[in-house]
Amino acid sequence: MSTRRRLSRLLLLSHIGLVLMFAVLLLATGVGTIRTAVIGQARTEAERSVSEAHQRLHDWYRELNVAGDLLAEQPTLRFYLARGQITKARGLVEDFHKTSAVSYVRVQQGAQTVAEIGQPPPGFTTGLMFDGHGVAWRVVQRGIANVPDASIVVAEAIGDRLDVRPATDLINAQLLPLPGKVAGPDDPWNKALREVASSGEPDTFEALGKIAAARIVRVREDDGRPSAMLAATVDQQWVEHRTVEWLAAFSLTGILTAVLALALAVVLAARIGRPFAQLAREAERLGSGDLETPVVAPATFLAEPVALAASLEEMRRQVATLTATERNQREELDAVLDGVDEGIVGLDAEGHIRYANRQFLALVGRAREEVFGQPIDDVLTPAASEDGPPTAATVGLPPTERVTPAGQMRHLVLRRMGTGGDPQVLVVRDENAIEAARAMRDRILANLSHELQTPLSAQIAAIELLRDHLRGSSDDAAIQLAEAQYRGAMRLSHLVDNLLESVRIESGEMRLRREPVDLAAVVADATDLIQPLIDQRNQKILRNIRPGPSFTGDPQRLASVMVNLLSNANKFAPDHSTIWVDIEWALDAVTVWVEDEGPGLPPMREEGDLFAPFRRSPKEEPRERGTGLGLAIVHALVTAHGGKVITAPPLVLTGARVGIALPLTEDA
């Protein structure tokens, strides 16, 4: 048997299982959700970084334009250049270079370079350009007013102006040349650059190699000419770091939630399990036999334990009342059983004594403690039978046995009420004169039946030879006398057989053969056997005998059943009447019906009265008297075959309709 668990522990385990399952489901669904959210955040960061870098790029353009305008509009520079004071003009340019953030400054007058300070750009075409290292430069050229053929060139590398985030943020903004101007591999990154460059529309991309998200826009000059690509990228490591951070926060939140849920589960399991544990203790107390202490309802917010406690209390009161009633009835029954003249013994399934009244103890001469729990065979032993087989003292009761108390010589009569193997009740008493007389009657009937069978058989054989001898004779009187003798001998033989069969039935000595039965042939043989009696009264038999499957039984006893039914129909039906014999086959049973046109079955107070031996109709008596054993023998033999005798209203006119229903199954 499996180990039983407490309700509170099972509730706690179920809550823990649910919490763990919920946590696993959240983790399984949360990883994908978090990663999707982080990718979305990476796209947002890339778009924001591009916007900020684009603003910084415009600021750079504006600052460089302002620097070029300031230098070109410097009056002192115009004054020096107009008078050819080259040295002073160069010094002014050097001071301007030092005070400004411009990387390169050049002043040109005609073919003469007045001043050139700083690292020169990769070219001197106005606008945005890239050097061999991919570094973006911005070149601004301005003319100097009132100085013919004079101009200035201001240039500056972009440097870290686009670095809107620290390098540790793994978010970078960069200015790139237009695709085609700088050769590159045909990878997803370059494909994305070319796509934006060709369409001119900014776009956001994901999963470009080690780049988780990128925002790319095309940069135009003031005249609308595209000059470069501005891109902000979010490294894959940024996504991984953020995913880990979110998962850590998510896990911490989940752990805290699980801890709270488990704490709540412990509290709820204790509160739910406590009243049921209390009820279990109350039920255990009731089971131990304590019916006096009331069942206390547990203090709980649950309705079920309170209702269960009320039911237990009601059950306790009812059981206490029934126990008291049963105790009183048992005492009354003990008083009644102790007052009867016969000994009463109760046996268990193994045949041990579990009850004995006072009269039984007096009959066997023992105390109550000496017989309780003892096998009945050790207390009562079978007596040596001098009176033949056991007999039934009363119709409908089991047969009696003659026994002797162990160690004594007196004879007792025992009747077993119940079947072997089941708990039984034995009725024991002294053997009286009535039982001795009944045993003598049964012995005389048995001996008489045996003694009459031999001369009857010889007489029937002689009459059959006489009938065969007179069959061709013209002496009608002799033939009629032979036929009358044959019918009388057959009826007398039938009566003797019934008497002998009744003795066997009452004594419990009847045994059935177990062999295949062809019921149609048995019925046909019985009708042929009874035919001389039918012919004597000018009756006729209409047979509807259909063959069917064979079954296991005693053909000779079943033939006796049919002969008794047909004999009753022959005796009670009037002359020139009809007797019907039908066989109805079903899947698991067969029924044989015998119907006549006689007065019908007599009214009986109980169905068992119809099959009592020596019972006759109170009003009708046939012309040829019988013993009243026919239906009793039919009932006993059919019951021994596992079947039953049934009656039904007649189908034709009035009369009796009696049938026997026999099972076709092997286990019957």
Side-chain angles (χ1 to χ4, degrees), residues 215-233:
R215 177 72 173 180
I216 304 175
V217 299
R218 191 169 63 175
V219 179
R220 297 178 179 274
E221 293 294 336
D222 295 337
D223 58 0
R225 176 175 52 87
S227 59
M229 306 294 292
L230 179 61
T233 60

Side-chain angles (χ1 to χ4, degrees), residues 28-77:
T29 58
V31 171
T33 304
I34 289 175
R35 187 166 184 84
T36 302
V38 171
I39 293 297
Q41 187 180 11
R43 290 173 60 94
T44 302
E45 291 293 333
E47 293 171 357
R48 186 160 63 89
S49 298
V50 161
S51 178
E52 293 178 357
H54 199 270
Q55 184 61 41
R56 286 174 177 263
L57 186 62
H58 279 288
D59 293 342
W60 179 45
Y61 280 11
R62 187 176 60 256
E63 291 173 3
L64 198 57
N65 288 334
V66 169
D69 292 338
L70 287 175
L71 185 58
E73 295 175 358
Q74 181 64 251
T76 305
L77 179 60

Side-chain angles (χ1 to χ4, degrees), residues 273-291:
R274 190 180 300 113
F276 286 101
Q278 178 181 344
L279 289 176
R281 291 191 295 271
E282 295 287 344
E284 184 177 0
R285 178 177 58 78
L286 291 177
S288 63
D290 182 7
L291 300 177

Side-chain angles (χ1 to χ4, degrees), residues 602-604 615-621:
M604 298 290 176
R615 185 66 56 87
R616 307 288 292 173
S617 172
K619 297 181 179 180
E620 299 291 339
E621 182 68 26

Side-chain angles (χ1 to χ4, degrees), residues 110-159:
Q112 181 184 4
T113 301
V114 176
E116 185 176 17
I117 303 170
Q119 181 182 356
F124 293 97
T125 304
T126 301
L128 192 64
M129 62 187 66
F130 294 86
D131 60 13
H133 300 288
V135 178
W137 286 76
R138 174 75 176 175
V139 178
V140 176
Q141 185 174 4
R142 294 288 187 270
I144 300 175
N146 301 322
V147 180
D149 298 330
S151 63
I152 64 171
V153 176
V154 180
E156 184 180 5
I158 192 169

Side-chain angles (χ1 to χ4, degrees), residues 271-282 295-312:
R271 294 194 65 186
I272 293 175
R274 190 180 300 113
F276 286 101
Q278 178 181 344
L279 289 176
R281 291 191 295 271
E282 295 287 344
V295 177
V296 180
T300 177
F301 64 96
L302 298 173
E304 288 80 1
V306 176
L308 183 57
S311 299
L312 284 176

